[in-house]
Amino acid sequence: MIEELGDWRRTHYSKDISSKLDGKEAIVFGWIEDIRDLGKITFYTLRDKEGVIQITVHKKNVSKKLLEKLSLIKRQYAIGVKGIIKANPEAPKGVELIPLEIKILGEAIHPLPLDPTGRTPAELDTRLKARILDLRRPESRAIFLIRHEVTNAIRSFLIKKGYIEVHTPRIISAAAEGGAALFKINYFDSQAYLAQSPELYKEQLITVFEKVFEIGTFFRAEETHTRRHLNEFISVDLEEAFVTMNDVMKVQEEMIVYAISKVKEERKEELEILGVNLEIPKIPFKRYTYDEILKELEKAGEKIEWGNDISTPAYRKLGKLHLNEFYFIIDWPSKTRPFYIKPKEDNPGLSYAFDLMYEWIEIASGGSRVDKKTVFLERLKEQNLNPNSFKFYLDVFDYGMPPHAGWGLGLDRLIMALLKRENIREVVLFPRDRFLLVP
């Protein structure tokens, strides 16, 4: 029995109802989280986006019609309640709502595939298959409220710093990160790709706006199936003209400290639900050269040949040496970095590149960019890429390309690290990997 909303409109969210409103009428909407029938009295816990409110039904004091309707309600039904606010020191938050009328606005079919209260644990695979119900669990909701806070803080911080928010194409003709791990798509009569990053577009845009950033979805066709990899991810990208990598590293660490501070200030309840004690890191973050990291790993029993990238097992060992620490790895070998990263003038084997790490997780990569056309062409050839595919970008060098630097930060990985989650899929609403295409 689903009813129409009609002229009912919410007057209060759950958080707005307090004992100070004793005797006032209110209309609330939400989902039934729990039902406790004690015989003469029944308690309904109604959840909305701001929290929960107790609906208390004294059976002898309500009409037969209302009782019949109440008897139809099950957990996770979407309902509206018009009632009288009543102060009650024994109720949660010292207040309850005594219903005068209810509307059943959405039914839930039982049995449910999982328990949205979280009292009955479920494996992550089960939770992801019934993701909307999983997101109603207090822990899941807390994760994404914190994620919202972090995203909002990042955007606010960068705008205050004078960066312009941009939106670059997701359908591209050439790879920004090289030819591997690209999703090919048919684009009318041409072949195109889903963007791996906004790199070459944001580098062009700094010749107009000087300071730009983007928060958006990107794609990598990696077959790797790990707890920190996804094929669709959210990246925070920044680029700035007339600076070096040291300048944009400073912006990045200040931004992270600001975001963590905002979460601690605005999301105390959610952090408590998750059992997370966020610490505000001190800046500047420590800088370690690639050579220093290799020496650390060798002492820990992990030998990496100079010039090779760092493997996942090595990163895990590194994480044990840098517990609860944000840190940069700098001075990477040029051959391990993308073609747009600038080699050092006095030692082209090394590059002006950095990775931001948290324990063993790579959060961001960046560096100073190639700003000379001849060097860019050399870098393309070194990585066996066809310069003709990059003509749209190469032309910009002829229009006054300034020195510039930037970075890309994985928002999903940042949230995973901050909230101490074991699997990146926990912090993504609808994760996409080789095995997850629905929901």
Side-chain angles (χ1 to χ4, degrees):
M1 172 182 150
I2 297 178
E3 300 171 85
E4 295 297 322
L5 184 65
D7 61 357
W8 279 32
R9 294 296 181 271
R10 175 186 276 118
T11 62
H12 299 75
Y13 282 104
S14 56
K15 73 172 185 179
D16 302 322
I17 297 177
S18 70
S19 57
K20 294 178 182 178
L21 299 177
D22 185 49
K24 301 288 185 182
E25 188 175 283
I27 296 176
V28 297
F29 294 105
W31 292 262
I32 293 299
E33 190 92 322
D34 213 352
I35 303 172
R36 289 184 294 138
D37 190 340
L38 304 182
K40 295 180 180 181
I41 186 170
T42 303
F43 300 107
Y44 297 83
T45 303
L46 182 137
R47 174 187 54 79
D48 60 22
K49 80 181 189 74
E50 300 294 346
V52 296
I53 182 71
Q54 178 174 288
I55 313 297
T56 303
V57 178
H58 297 272
K59 294 178 182 177
K60 66 179 182 179
N61 296 336
V62 299
S63 68
K64 183 178 179 182
K65 182 180 177 182
L66 183 54
L67 275 179
E68 286 175 354
K69 192 181 284 189
L70 286 164
S71 70
L72 300 174
I73 293 175
K74 297 179 181 178
R75 290 176 177 84
Q76 300 307 316
Y77 269 42
I79 71 166
V81 182
K82 181 186 289 184
I84 303 298
I85 297 168
K86 182 182 177 183
N88 179 356
E90 295 182 0
K93 300 189 296 185
V95 68
E96 59 192 1
L97 191 64
I98 309 299
L100 300 173
E101 298 178 59
I102 68 163
K103 286 193 176 190
I104 297 175
L105 302 171
E107 297 176 337
I109 297 174
H110 287 247
L112 298 170
L114 57 82
D115 176 11
T117 68
R119 289 193 292 264
T120 303
E123 295 293 329
L124 182 59
D125 286 348
T126 301
R127 290 166 43 203
L128 291 176
K129 287 174 184 175
R131 189 56 159 159
I132 288 299
L133 282 179
D134 178 58
L135 292 172
R136 295 179 186 178
R137 293 187 315 116
E139 293 83 359
S140 289
R141 291 184 71 249
I143 287 170
F144 290 98
L145 289 171
I146 290 171
R147 182 181 171 120
H148 162 73
E149 202 67 50
V150 170
T151 307
N152 189 46
I154 286 172
R155 178 175 277 111
S156 300
F157 176 86
L158 294 177
I159 290 172
K160 286 176 185 175
K161 288 283 188 180
Y163 292 87
I164 301 296
E165 185 167 10
V166 298
H167 299 95
T168 58
R170 295 299 176 269
I171 300 174
I172 60 173
S173 63
E177 304 286 347
L182 280 165
F183 282 109
K184 295 180 182 179
I185 61 171
N186 294 323
Y187 189 69
F188 301 102
D189 297 326
S190 302
Q191 182 171 286
Y193 307 93
L194 294 179
Q196 301 163 308
S197 89
E199 185 61 46
L200 300 184
Y201 289 97
K202 64 177 181 171
E203 288 193 48
Q204 295 179 73
L205 289 169
I206 55 94
T207 71
V208 181
F209 303 109
E210 294 195 25
K211 301 171 72 169
V212 300
F213 79 96
E214 178 169 10
I215 302 175
T217 305
F218 294 94
F219 308 87
R220 295 198 179 175
E222 295 173 312
E223 294 193 4
T224 306
H225 187 68
T226 75
R227 288 182 290 173
R228 72 183 196 281
H229 285 93
L230 291 172
N231 298 114
E232 180 182 75
F233 59 95
I234 302 295
S235 182
V236 180
D237 279 86
L238 176 143
E239 205 74 24
E240 183 172 350
F242 307 110
V243 296
T244 68
M245 77 173 199
N246 291 318
D247 300 296
V248 295
M249 289 165 73
K250 185 173 184 290
V251 172
Q252 188 173 94
E253 61 193 3
E254 288 176 353
M255 180 192 78
I256 287 173
V257 167
Y258 177 78
I260 293 173
S261 301
K262 292 299 287 183
V263 170
K264 283 181 69 72
E265 181 183 329
E266 302 292 339
R267 296 294 173 180
K268 294 183 178 70
E269 183 180 340
E270 287 77 16
L271 289 170
E272 188 174 335
I273 288 171
L274 295 170
V276 173
N277 180 26
L278 268 186
E279 296 180 5
I280 299 176
K282 294 180 180 179
I283 52 178
F285 298 163
K286 289 182 180 178
R287 274 83 164 145
Y288 301 94
T289 66
Y290 171 83
D291 287 354
E292 288 172 333
I293 291 297
L294 260 53
K295 288 176 183 176
E296 275 193 18
L297 287 170
E298 190 168 2
K299 286 180 182 178
E302 191 76 31
K303 175 73 173 174
I304 303 285
E305 290 297 323
W306 196 95
N308 289 344
D309 219 333
I310 298 173
S311 64
T312 297
Y315 272 131
R316 287 192 175 278
K317 287 191 176 179
L318 205 56
K320 293 176 182 178
L321 302 172
H322 297 273
L323 288 174
N324 301 314
E325 182 186 357
F326 282 100
Y327 58 101
F328 289 109
I329 303 177
I330 62 173
D331 293 350
W332 286 82
S334 294
K335 70 177 185 178
T336 68
R337 300 288 98 176
F339 57 86
Y340 49 79
I341 289 290
K342 185 176 183 178
K344 293 197 169 188
E345 297 85 357
D346 58 348
N347 184 359
L350 291 178
S351 63
Y352 292 108
F354 67 86
D355 282 357
L356 173 67
M357 307 292 299
Y358 180 78
E359 295 186 347
W360 69 279
I361 301 172
E362 177 197 329
I363 303 292
S365 289
S368 295
R369 313 308 195 187
V370 174
D371 51 24
K372 292 182 174 59
K373 192 173 186 176
T374 53
V375 178
F376 193 83
L377 285 166
E378 287 172 10
R379 292 285 287 155
L380 287 175
K381 291 173 184 175
E382 284 171 10
Q383 299 193 14
N384 297 315
L385 295 169
N386 184 358
N388 293 331
S389 299
F390 297 87
K391 184 180 184 305
F392 75 98
Y393 180 73
L394 284 163
D395 287 346
V396 182
F397 284 94
D398 299 331
Y399 310 148
M401 178 66 84
H404 59 290
W407 44 257
L409 178 147
L411 181 64
D412 311 315
R413 287 192 180 183
L414 176 61
I415 303 300
M416 177 188 177
L418 293 179
L419 300 184
K420 304 290 187 180
R421 300 296 101 177
E422 289 294 322
N423 195 312
I424 198 168
R425 290 154 189 79
E426 292 189 65
V427 305
V428 176
L429 286 170
F430 300 102
R432 290 290 176 261
D433 60 32
R434 287 174 61 198
F435 308 105
L436 279 173
L437 189 55
V438 292

